Amino acid sequence: MSDQPVSGPRSRTLSRRTFLRAAGVVGGASLGPAVLRRRAEAQETPSPIRPDPAAKRGGTLRYAVHNAPAHFDVHQSGTVANIGPQSPMYDCLIRRDPRDGQSIIPDLAWKWDISPDGKKYTFYLRKGVKFHDGADFTAEDVKATYDRIVRAPTGVVIPRSSLFTTVGEIVIVDPHRIEFRLTEARPKAFMLGSFASGWNIIVRKKTLEENQGNLRQVMNFPGTGPFKHVSRKDKEVWIMERNPNYWNKGLPYLDKLEIYHMFPFSPELGSSFLAGKIDYARLLDPVSWRKAKEMPNVTAAAFNQSVIQAFWMNMKKKPLADPRVRRAIHLAMDRPTLVEVVKDTAPMQLGGFVYPFHGMSTPKAELEKRLGYQRDIKPAVQEARRLMQEAGYGQGIKGLDFVVRDIQTFKLWAVAIQAMLKEHINIETNLRTVQTSVWFDEAAAGNFDLAISAIVSSLMDPSDYFTAWYGQNGPQNYSGWSNEQFHALAKQIERELDDTKRKAMVRKAEDILEQDPPLIPIAYEQIYDAYYNKVKGQNPSTFFGIYDVCRWDNVWLAQS
Amino acid sequence: MRKYLARRALFALGTLVGVSLIIFVVLRILPGDPLVAILGVEGHARMTPADRVRIMHDLGLSDPLPVQYVHWLRDIATGKLGKSFFRGDTVAELILHRGPISAEIGFLALVVSWLVGLPVGIVSAIKPNSWADNVARSLAILFIAIPGFWLSMLIVLALLFWFGYKAPLIIVHVWESPWENLQIVIGPAIVLGLAQGAYIARMSRSCLLEVIGEDYVRTARAKGAPERQVVLGHALPNALLPVITISGVLLGFVLGGSVAVEQAFGVPGLGRSLVTALIERDIIVVQNLVLLYAVIFVLVNFVVDLSYAWLDPRIRYA
């Protein structure tokens, strides 16, 4: 009908009905493609987390995590004090699925391609995403973010830069497509794990330019995340509200987040949770966690964390340069007892030189049969004494300076280790307890014989911490350890793209480390969380660490 | 009186300059790298020498010590007291936000100490060696002996496990919600107040006992004045002089004790900020808070000196 030319007297008078019909046709014709395009885009760029049909909207989640951050620059941080409260305001390129904490799913990049030679990663970015200040998100922001992470300017220290050492060029193909060109291929799991690390939040290019690349003192820089900053009281609480324009429609469910700063494992955190002042507590002390576990309306979860607790031995000191002495010290440790010693202070588990819960490490059951990890320590002690004899220290060693970081677990362990060394291989140590900042000074300067502390890795992947902890000039190789065979193997592990071959190599590396220990592993940390059952959508039991899943976008409250 | 005032003011000023110099020097010679707390252990391990130079320069820590001291004095003069190394807040903001809570605790502790200490001291002095005196003296020794942070932890745990109660988690000022504010300050105030009350009870007892034996008290009794008037009207005002003096000193104990007690109760006051700043090695915050405590202590003692001189003319003419 509308295709026919309009003629005759009726055509000259425009009725209301004709006008509306015509307007409808014109409007529909003009809007149609936009609607269809948006629908097509939505189908093309599916949301990684579909809203849960059972979920309820609204409510305020009161969450407690760690003490206040020292600064606000998430990229420059290595502590949950930053990522805990700030993560809900930001997104990454890709992310770990909050439902299991492990699989990698799309985030601001809705899909990605990896070239067959493994040297080019192309990310396709979502359209229509806005920062909290209303600016459009584009590939320029991704490039600015990653330029900074990969090659940080002077005075900006980013612990994850080492994950991207092979990134040569970052090229913007179009406003919503970006390529990372690698100088040489790395295992996919390593690269994707690096991109999915919760630390690598996308920041606006303009924000970085305005602050000369340093966000340490910029509290509220805009993100694209599910929650927006409302207010912050230093060392007390950070309050955020739902981002109504969040690109993942339907999320988040919560109206408001109140994130309280409380020291990990502290009585304050425990009492606040047990008294019902907070809904979700992270890093609970074991005593409060056990009490929480007995409560009928509470879920108490335990999961693995990417922290090794260990002590280092100064290779510049003569007896400790001998691998036999270091292995003897390694074997003299009664690890099940060491885990027991701190059971009311911090949750720990047995482990060797590789994360015990990682697929590439020696399985726990197998590890527990190995000398140095068995419940019955007699065979290990016998072997330790033999090694000391062989190294010429059968009478023991006297007066070793044992530097202890002033934290409860290390103080408890230091006394136990001192006793084990004396009793098992007649090594006498003098404990010297120092503050954390002094410990790292002393460790870096080599002013110690033995030094006990804990270190974190950015990724669970061995290639990350084989470089940082055990690498020849690794930043956390406080022992000053070196082993040519290991370093050569570590380089091969970095480059090996076949997972099966890589796993075999990691096992071989473990054997080298067992015989020539660069440090003495004591235990691996676990995390204790507890939450009231009204908190839904969170299942931390399968998480690897606390750094990748802390955005709260899929969490909801049964009673709001 | 003016000469006396000027002399005391000069002493107070000299004390503060001395304190500021000691704090400044001590904080800079203590071992430990503030960059560990700023960058975290992973960042600190990866920091290059060039990064260190840049960050130390940005923080103003690469200037010569006299220049840093002058910068601090300048910051004090501007009223901002400098910026925290960490999140960039000014110390003045921190004091304005948290100071009122600590001040309330200090004030309430002082009130509690007088409310408890003085009546107990009077009762003990009126009936020396009676059962009431013995109980009062035993309790006084007990409260002096018990460490404040330990008693605080007992109270926190008892409230939690018997009543499922925990005070508000964040600062609520008295003008925002008096009831919630009271819940935050009352615990620390009672713990600190009882300890100081014990000192006041012992001091007021011994002073009152001494004064009650004086001739003018005997004369008052001989004239037929009622016992209440003799004790409260004639003996007590004179016995109070040393108690007022000790109250000034005790405020120093309250300030010092509040650091541990605020920590135990989880009250985010200035005492707790000082502990955190020490852990973080945030020397700008530490030096300003210690100086603030010193200023308060010196001021209170200055006021005590003045009130003492006002109450006892022999002192101002001496």
Side-chain angles (χ1 to χ4, degrees), chain B residues 5-39:
Chain B
L5 197 76
R7 208 168 52 235
R8 304 310 298 177
L10 208 64
F11 281 150
L13 196 68
T15 309
L16 288 177
V17 171
V19 166
S20 75
L21 277 168
I22 292 169
I23 306 163
F24 181 83
V25 172
V26 165
L27 283 173
R28 274 149 187 86
I29 57 172
L30 278 177
D33 187 351
L35 301 194
V36 172
I38 295 175
L39 299 174

Side-chain angles (χ1 to χ4, degrees), chain A residues 50-295:
Chain A
R50 296 285 168 83
D52 177 353
K56 283 186 183 175
R57 273 280 306 276
T60 300
L61 180 78
R62 299 165 306 166
Y63 165 54
V65 59
H66 217 279
N67 43 319
H71 58 76
F72 304 110
D73 196 329
V74 177
H75 292 158
Q76 290 198 64
S77 171
T79 159
V80 70
N82 281 98
I83 206 156
Q86 289 179 271
S87 195
M89 296 188 282
Y90 303 95
D91 293 310
C92 300
L93 263 187
I94 53 177
R95 70 188 287 205
R96 298 273 177 190
D97 193 330
R99 290 161 295 194
D100 61 18
Q102 296 188 31
S103 3
I104 290 176
I105 59 170
D107 204 8
L108 285 176
W110 60 274
K111 78 165 189 173
W112 58 91
D113 293 333
I114 304 168
S115 64
D117 63 357
K119 288 171 74 173
K120 193 167 80 181
Y121 284 69
T122 307
F123 292 95
Y124 298 80
L125 310 177
R126 288 179 198 283
K127 293 173 185 169
V129 176
K130 290 200 181 288
F131 282 95
H132 296 165
D133 60 358
D136 287 326
F137 156 75
T138 69
E140 293 280 356
D141 303 307
V142 178
K143 180 169 164 52
T145 298
Y146 273 93
D147 275 341
R148 177 179 189 248
I149 293 172
V150 175
R151 281 171 282 274
T154 305
V156 170
V157 184
I158 299 180
R160 267 84 42 200
S161 295
S162 57
L163 299 177
F164 300 99
T165 46
T166 53
V167 172
E169 274 184 292
I170 302 171
V171 179
I172 295 173
V173 181
D174 66 43
H176 295 98
R177 187 147 51 115
I178 192 162
E179 278 177 11
F180 288 74
R181 295 178 187 165
L182 275 52
T183 50
E184 60 178 324
R186 285 283 179 269
K188 272 184 209 170
F190 179 86
M191 284 314 297
L192 289 177
S194 302
F195 283 115
S197 164
W199 299 103
N200 298 330
I201 59 165
I202 302 299
V203 181
R204 260 191 89 185
K205 184 186 179 196
K206 191 173 167 233
T207 307
L208 291 172
E209 286 169 352
E210 283 172 353
N211 294 286
Q212 293 79 48
N214 185 4
L215 305 178
R216 282 201 293 266
Q217 296 196 349
V218 186
M219 178 181 66
N220 177 24
F221 54 90
T224 57
F227 292 93
K228 292 164 75 168
H229 165 91
V230 174
S231 62
R232 184 186 72 91
K233 285 185 182 173
D234 189 34
K235 298 190 184 76
E236 292 175 56
V237 68
W238 201 325
I239 296 174
M240 288 157 218
E241 66 182 5
R242 182 176 190 274
N243 174 7
N245 304 316
Y246 191 47
W247 54 266
N248 200 350
K249 295 297 167 207
L251 297 183
Y253 301 116
L254 299 166
D255 283 340
K256 200 170 152 195
L257 265 180
E258 288 178 4
I259 302 182
Y260 293 89
H261 301 296
M262 290 181 193
F263 278 95
F265 314 123
S266 66
E268 189 195 359
L269 172 64
S271 59
S272 301
F273 179 77
L274 296 174
K277 290 272 176 184
I278 49 177
D279 306 310
Y280 195 111
R282 172 147 286 175
L283 295 158
L284 264 184
D285 67 287
V287 176
S288 302
W289 186 78
R290 288 197 288 267
K291 282 207 174 297
K293 210 172 177 181
E294 290 164 11
M295 292 163 74

Side-chain angles (χ1 to χ4, degrees), chain A residues 293-443:
Chain A
K293 210 172 177 181
E294 290 164 11
M295 292 163 74
N297 54 342
V298 164
T299 301
F303 57 100
N304 300 315
Q305 161 72 330
S306 53
V307 176
I308 183 176
Q309 319 276 327
F311 64 95
W312 286 259
M313 298 151 294
N314 194 340
M315 301 289 160
K316 286 180 192 140
K317 305 291 167 84
K318 199 186 161 208
L320 300 171
D322 189 325
R324 290 168 297 185
V325 173
R326 277 181 275 120
R327 170 129 175 100
I329 293 175
H330 175 44
L331 296 181
M333 293 300 106
D334 180 352
R335 289 188 170 78
T337 300
L338 289 173
V339 169
E340 189 74 10
V341 163
V342 298
K343 72 167 188 203
D344 287 336
T345 309
M348 297 289 166
Q349 61 183 312
L350 195 81
F353 295 88
V354 177
Y355 284 120
F357 35 80
H358 191 268
M360 291 198 179
S361 66
T362 304
K364 208 174 169 188
E366 209 179 301
L367 190 74
E368 283 172 356
K369 288 179 195 157
R370 209 178 260 177
L371 279 187
Y373 303 95
Q374 295 160 323
R375 284 214 162 264
D376 176 12
I377 59 156
K378 277 182 203 146
V381 171
Q382 232 170 13
E383 173 65 5
R385 286 178 181 155
R386 190 192 66 75
L387 285 166
M388 287 292 280
Q389 197 79 40
E390 195 182 295
Y393 297 101
Q395 298 305 308
I397 302 167
K398 287 193 192 309
L400 290 187
D401 174 30
F402 192 173
V403 181
V404 182
R405 194 171 151 190
D406 190 5
I407 287 178
Q408 193 58 17
T409 44
F410 302 132
K411 289 193 282 190
L412 288 168
W413 271 332
V415 175
I417 290 167
Q418 186 182 42
M420 286 172 193
L421 289 175
K422 172 70 184 148
E423 194 183 323
H424 297 159
I425 46 177
N426 202 25
I427 290 181
E428 287 178 12
T429 55
N430 302 316
L431 302 185
R432 179 158 62 95
T433 305
V434 296
Q435 267 196 345
T436 296
S437 57
V438 179
W439 191 96
F440 284 96
D441 267 1
E442 295 287 72

Side-chain angles (χ1 to χ4, degrees), chain A residues 69-72 78 154-155 157 159 217 234-236 262 268 271-272 275 277 291 437-438 440-441 456 468 475, chain B residues 31-33 37-38 41-43 45-46 51 54 85-89 97-98 160-161 166 169-171 272 276 281:
Chain A
H71 58 76
F72 304 110
T154 305
V157 184
Q217 296 196 349
D234 189 34
K235 298 190 184 76
E236 292 175 56
M262 290 181 193
E268 189 195 359
S271 59
S272 301
K277 290 272 176 184
K291 282 207 174 297
S437 57
V438 179
F440 284 96
D441 267 1
V456 184
Chain B
D33 187 351
I38 295 175
V41 295
E42 290 75 33
R46 287 165 172 85
D51 289 328
R54 174 71 189 268
F85 278 165
F86 296 93
R87 292 153 289 265
D89 311 322
H97 180 56
R98 294 174 173 235
L160 176 68
F161 292 122
K166 173 92 173 71
L169 305 180
I170 58 170
I171 290 179
R272 201 163 175 221
T276 319
R281 296 220 12 99

Side-chain angles (χ1 to χ4, degrees), chain A residues 186-190 358 360 461-464 466 489-490 492-509:
Chain A
R186 285 283 179 269
K188 272 184 209 170
F190 179 86
H358 191 268
M360 291 198 179
D461 195 285
S463 281
D464 175 36
F466 275 13
L489 187 59
Q492 280 181 291
I493 293 170
E494 259 181 25
R495 287 162 178 77
E496 180 54 63
L497 305 182
D498 183 313
D499 270 357
T500 317
K501 286 183 189 165
R502 205 161 172 252
K503 187 173 174 177
M505 288 178 182
V506 171
R507 295 285 181 84
K508 208 172 150 191

Side-chain angles (χ1 to χ4, degrees), chain B residues 123-125 127-138 205:
Chain B
V123 169
S124 284
K127 294 179 178 176
N129 300 319
S130 64
W131 69 265
D133 180 32
N134 289 336
V135 169
R137 279 195 293 169
S138 305
R205 177 186 183 274

